[in-house]
Amino acid sequence: MKKFSIAMLSMVLAGSMLLTGCGGSKTADSSSDAQDSTTSTSADGGTLRMGTNATFPPYEFVGDDGNVQGIDVDIAAAIADKLGMKLEVTDMEFDSLIPALQSDTVDVALAGMTVTPDRQENVDFSDSYAKGVQVIIVKDGSDIASPDDLEGKNIGVQTGTTGDIYCTGDYGQEHVKQFNNGPLAVAALVNDQIDCVVIDQEPAKNYVAANSGLKILDTAYADEDYAIAIKKGNTELLDKVNGALKELEGDGTLQSIVDKYISADSAAQ
Ligand code: ARG
């Protein structure tokens, strides 16, 4: 997953992310169609171009088959379906998503993205489709027992995420260590390079399950809302997306997508 993400970063930097047919950048709902890699300039062209950062299970991750999958991909596929569009998914760094919307490189960003006032100055958000929680991951035996103990500690975060933004504000930049993705932050915690990781709860559960000797503190750090980001001012697409979301919520599709990836057991944690 890490290797993939780093490979994707160089592709992004090379400016070629839409032109490749590799791995995670693919069509989710129309299996073998050749992708329109040239000029699909807007969702009206029949393709809904979704940007994401697939290091964030169960919302988005690279599956064993090399394709990006997860809750956000399924939601975007269901929306595209409602709108009679084809879905194209591009994996990129998290902090490239808003610039990609602004430069019309993608139409929507679904990345477990939290609605914040600062982001609202740069993009529009759909109605919220899920709740997020920032939690704290520590090593077993850590002296950090709650957010009150974070002062003076070295905190790992994913660059540009709300964990990064909040911790920088609360504890100072010198105590916040940025990583390209959650798994890299967690690896640094395992290797004792940092004291904790502040990150979203569902990915945190996945990271903790994948590494022994880690735990999530009971007291959360912050509650938030996830929504779909869209280029500022693209009210036509925003309205369509909100209309589709409403239908998907009303007919139970949204819940069944979440249930497919998050078991009631782990959600109860
Ligand atoms: N909810 C957090 C935020 O919006 C983290 C999202 C990270 N998403 C991802 N796909 N890596 O800042």
Side-chain angles (χ1 to χ4, degrees):
M1 194 187 289
K2 280 177 228 163
K3 215 169 133 207
F4 177 83
S5 164
I6 289 160
M8 289 305 297
L9 170 63
S10 15
M11 284 169 45
V12 169
L13 292 175
S16 61
M17 56 192 168
L18 283 179
L19 302 176
T20 64
C22 82
S25 176
K26 76 154 278 137
T27 308
D29 65 344
S30 61
S31 51
S32 62
D33 288 2
Q35 278 180 43
D36 178 3
S37 59
T38 48
T39 52
S40 67
T41 48
S42 78
D44 294 341
T47 300
L48 185 66
R49 298 166 310 160
M50 162 183 167
T52 195
N53 170 247
T55 62
F56 198 73
Y59 287 93
E60 43 268 336
F61 55 97
V62 179
D64 293 338
D65 60 1
N67 293 326
V68 178
Q69 50 192 259
I71 293 173
D72 283 335
V73 179
D74 284 8
I75 291 176
I79 291 172
D81 201 46
K82 288 256 178 233
L83 302 180
M85 291 174 165
K86 195 174 86 166
L87 182 69
E88 181 180 278
V89 182
T90 301
D91 192 14
M92 61 183 75
E93 295 304 308
F94 183 75
D95 59 359
S96 299
L97 288 167
I98 289 181
L101 288 168
Q102 290 175 319
S103 65
D104 270 329
T105 306
V106 296
D107 303 304
V108 288
L110 284 85
M113 192 184 281
T114 304
V115 180
T116 72
D118 280 353
R119 289 176 183 163
Q120 278 172 318
E121 289 186 6
N122 297 308
V123 289
D124 289 334
F125 281 101
S126 71
D127 297 333
S128 175
Y129 64 86
K131 293 275 172 209
V133 184
Q134 294 297 310
V135 296
I136 303 166
I137 309 177
V138 295
K139 272 191 150 174
D140 287 336
S142 166
D143 62 353
I144 302 173
S146 84
D148 297 339
D149 303 326
L150 287 183
E151 201 70 55
K153 300 291 185 190
N154 291 319
I155 307 167
V157 296
Q158 182 181 18
T159 308
T161 59
T162 46
D164 183 4
I165 297 160
Y166 303 154
C167 288
T168 301
D170 288 350
Y171 305 107
Q173 200 160 15
E174 65 279 19
H175 291 294
V176 177
K177 185 138 176 36
Q178 296 179 315
F179 295 87
N180 268 346
N181 57 55
L184 287 176
V186 170
L189 175 62
V190 168
N191 295 328
D192 290 321
Q193 288 155 359
I194 49 176
D195 300 311
C196 63
V197 173
V198 170
I199 202 147
D200 302 52
Q201 174 166 260
E202 292 303 327
K205 286 183 201 164
N206 277 265
Y207 304 147
V208 166
N211 291 277
S212 56
L214 301 181
K215 63 177 181 186
I216 297 173
L217 297 185
D218 290 338
T219 317
Y221 180 53
D223 292 314
E224 26 190 47
D225 293 312
Y226 292 165
I228 301 171
I230 296 177
K231 187 180 187 181
K232 200 155 189 56
N234 189 351
T235 46
E236 189 188 333
L237 181 59
L238 183 67
D239 290 348
K240 284 187 191 169
V241 165
N242 276 334
L245 265 182
K246 202 158 273 159
E247 285 178 35
L248 294 168
E249 198 173 357
D251 69 9
T253 307
L254 216 53
Q255 191 57 49
S256 68
I257 291 173
V258 172
D259 292 347
K260 179 173 151 195
Y261 292 96
I262 302 178
S263 69
D265 269 10
S266 81
Q269 192 217 333

